[in-house]
């Protein structure tokens, strides 16, 4: 405990402090926990950089959610979270401005990590201000397209934004007169890792397809490596479905009908009595 307390006073690295916090909780050293949290809050209060706060937050959330936390320790960790997250939310719109490509990739990863950690806490008091901060970031015109696209995807997955909200912003970022590189980066931030959004939402696919069809050959060749990198993260099945939909807009429906024709109705009928029993439904042919 004495050694941890001494090390805490000598350290100003938030990630080091949060890693040590997890260890001392597993070791059941309550006085060391108190010393680390006091030091952590002091560093946060001294004006730590938003990126450093974002790096430290996931560990705090994991400690509270999964760590060996007694009630008294949980209250202290919660106090630290309440000290860190509001500062992230307030400073985030400024922190995402005028980032280069490399810094934008790092910030995009931080956004995803903090978002997952906030969802892990399952607390409205943390979720609501975080989503509000993401909305502000998504509308920062000086932010990198990759960051804005990632933010839009997080808001869409959290059901904060609807499909029309995303379609409108995608149309704006891909409109004539905007930087094609930023439009391609937005596409990467939003769609990277999953093509299901494009597969299931024809409106979004239409916006992207229309943009690709409208840009010049020179611009297309410039942005092709980034676009290929984005679409390479889709599964083979997703890419095949997208190709079929672009070639034949009714292909998806035809495939679904084909799957229905392959269904073994006789085997499926055996399940119905069990489902009726589970759901308390009336037997087939009953007047109820």
């Amino acid at each position: 405990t004495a050694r941890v307390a001494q090390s805490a006073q000598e350290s100003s690295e938030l990630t080091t402090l949060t890693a040590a916090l997890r260890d001392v909780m597993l070791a059941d050293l309550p006085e060391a926990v108190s010393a680390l949290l006091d030091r952590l809050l002091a560093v946060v209060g001294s004006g730590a950089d938003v990126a450093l706060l974002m790096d430290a937050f996931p560990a705090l959330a994991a400690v509270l959610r999964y760590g060996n936390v007694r009630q008294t320790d949980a209250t202290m960790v919660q106090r630290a979270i309440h000290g860190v997250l509001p500062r992230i939310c307030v400073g985030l719109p400024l922190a995402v401005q005028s980032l280069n490509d490399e810094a934008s990739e790092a910030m995009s990863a931080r956004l995803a990590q903090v978002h997952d950690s906030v969802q892990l806490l399952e607390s409205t008091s943390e979720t609501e201000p975080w989503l509000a901060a993401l909305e502000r970031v998504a509308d920062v015109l000086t932010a990198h397209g990759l960051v804005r696209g990632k933010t839009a995807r997080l808001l869409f997955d959290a059901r904060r934004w609807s499909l029309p909200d995303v379609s409108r912003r995608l149309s704006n970022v891909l409109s004539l007169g905007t930087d094609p590189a930023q439009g391609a980066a937005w596409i990467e931030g939003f769609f990277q890792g999953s093509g299901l959004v494009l597969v299931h939402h024809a409106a979004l696919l239409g916006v992207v397809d229309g943009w690709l069809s409208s840009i010049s050959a020179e611009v297309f060749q410039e942005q092709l490596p980034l676009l290929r990198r984005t679409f390479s993260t889709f599964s083979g099945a997703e890419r095949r479905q997208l190709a079929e939909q672009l070639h034949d807009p009714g292909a998806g429906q035809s495939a679904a009908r084909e799957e229905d024709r392959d269904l073994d109705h006789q085997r499926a009928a055996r399940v119905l009595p069990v489902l009726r029993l589970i759901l308390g439904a009336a037997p087939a042919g009953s007047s109820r």
Side-chain angles (χ1 to χ4, degrees):
T1 296
R3 176 58 181 159
V4 169
Q6 180 184 355
S7 299
Q9 290 303 316
E10 296 172 351
S11 176
S12 297
E13 297 290 334
L14 288 174
T15 53
T16 301
L17 293 171
T18 51
L21 179 64
R22 180 178 60 249
D23 293 339
V24 297
M25 282 187 166
L26 291 173
D28 195 17
L29 302 174
E31 294 180 7
V33 170
S34 178
L36 281 169
L37 286 173
D38 287 343
R39 179 57 181 163
L40 190 148
L41 289 172
V43 173
V44 169
S46 66
D49 182 78
V50 171
L52 296 178
L53 294 175
M54 296 177 74
D55 290 338
F57 184 80
L60 281 175
V63 165
L64 184 62
R65 190 71 172 84
Y66 298 122
N68 181 25
V69 184
R70 303 176 306 172
Q71 186 59 44
T72 53
D73 293 339
T75 302
M76 297 172 67
V77 175
Q78 189 73 51
R79 182 163 60 94
I81 287 175
H82 287 163
V84 172
L85 187 59
R87 285 175 170 80
I88 293 175
C89 294
V90 171
L92 194 56
L94 183 61
V96 300
Q97 296 187 41
S98 304
L99 299 178
N100 59 26
D101 292 344
E102 184 178 354
S104 296
E105 290 183 9
M107 179 56 71
S108 179
R110 289 189 181 100
L111 287 169
Q113 291 170 358
V114 174
H115 183 78
D116 291 342
S117 300
V118 170
Q119 302 302 311
L120 188 68
L121 295 175
E122 298 180 342
S123 173
T124 304
S125 61
E126 276 85 30
T127 302
E128 183 60 31
W130 170 248
L131 293 178
L134 289 181
E135 287 185 310
R136 292 193 296 272
V137 168
D139 291 328
V140 175
L141 298 181
T142 54
H144 196 280
L146 181 69
V147 172
R148 295 173 62 196
K150 172 60 72 174
T151 305
R153 180 57 182 269
L154 296 176
L155 289 165
F156 180 72
D157 288 345
R159 299 185 179 181
R160 181 80 168 201
W161 279 4
S162 64
L163 181 61
D165 293 328
V166 174
S167 296
R168 182 173 64 255
R169 284 170 171 82
L170 179 58
S171 297
N172 290 339
V173 79
L174 298 182
S175 61
L176 293 175
T178 58
D179 184 1
Q182 291 302 307
W186 199 101
I187 290 175
E188 180 183 16
F190 189 89
F191 295 108
Q192 188 176 38
S194 174
L196 288 177
V197 178
L198 280 175
V199 171
H200 293 299
H201 299 294
L204 292 180
L205 181 59
V207 172
V208 176
D209 184 40
W211 175 71
L212 288 173
S213 302
S214 66
I215 59 178
S216 65
E218 293 76 12
V219 172
F220 179 80
Q221 291 179 1
E222 289 176 1
Q223 305 308 321
L224 184 58
L226 189 151
L227 294 170
R228 285 179 61 88
R229 184 174 67 185
T230 301
F231 284 87
S232 68
T233 62
F234 297 176
S235 69
E238 291 170 344
R239 293 198 299 270
R240 183 175 63 255
Q241 287 179 280
L242 288 173
E244 291 173 351
Q245 289 184 27
L246 291 170
H247 182 264
D248 179 9
Q253 298 178 356
S254 300
R257 290 193 294 268
E258 185 67 31
E259 291 178 0
D260 289 342
R261 286 195 291 269
D262 293 339
L263 182 65
D264 188 332
H265 293 277
Q266 185 175 7
R267 291 185 63 192
R270 300 175 188 172
V271 183
L272 297 180
V274 179
L275 289 176
R276 293 192 185 98
L277 180 63
I278 294 174
L279 300 175
S286 172
S287 60
R288 289 194 297 147

